[in-house]
Amino acid sequence: MVRTRVYLTDIADFNAVARAHVAVFADIRPTTTFVEISALADPALLVEIEADAIVQ
C-alpha cells in the first residue's frame, strides 16, 4: 500500500476515521489525503477510501 485517499461527507468525522485508518495502516504508513465532499453515490455512505498498492 503506497497511497490512500479518504473521502468524507462530513469533515467532523475526521478524527474517528483517522484513528481507524491508523489502526489498519499504522505499520504500512501510506501517503494519505483526506478530502471533504458533498455526497457519495449512495446517500447512506459517509466514507469512501481509495487505496493504491504496488505489487512486486
Side-chain angles (χ1 to χ4, degrees), residues 1-46:
M1 195 66 55
V2 294
R3 179 178 175 146
T4 59
R5 286 171 218 82
V6 182
Y7 300 97
L8 304 169
T9 59
D10 186 349
I11 201 68
D13 295 331
F14 171 81
N15 287 331
V17 176
R19 281 192 302 275
H21 188 278
V22 167
V24 173
F25 296 111
D27 294 335
I28 302 168
R29 300 182 55 114
T31 299
T32 303
T33 303
F34 284 82
V35 181
E36 183 180 33
I37 58 173
S38 61
L40 291 164
D42 180 342
L45 299 177
L46 303 176

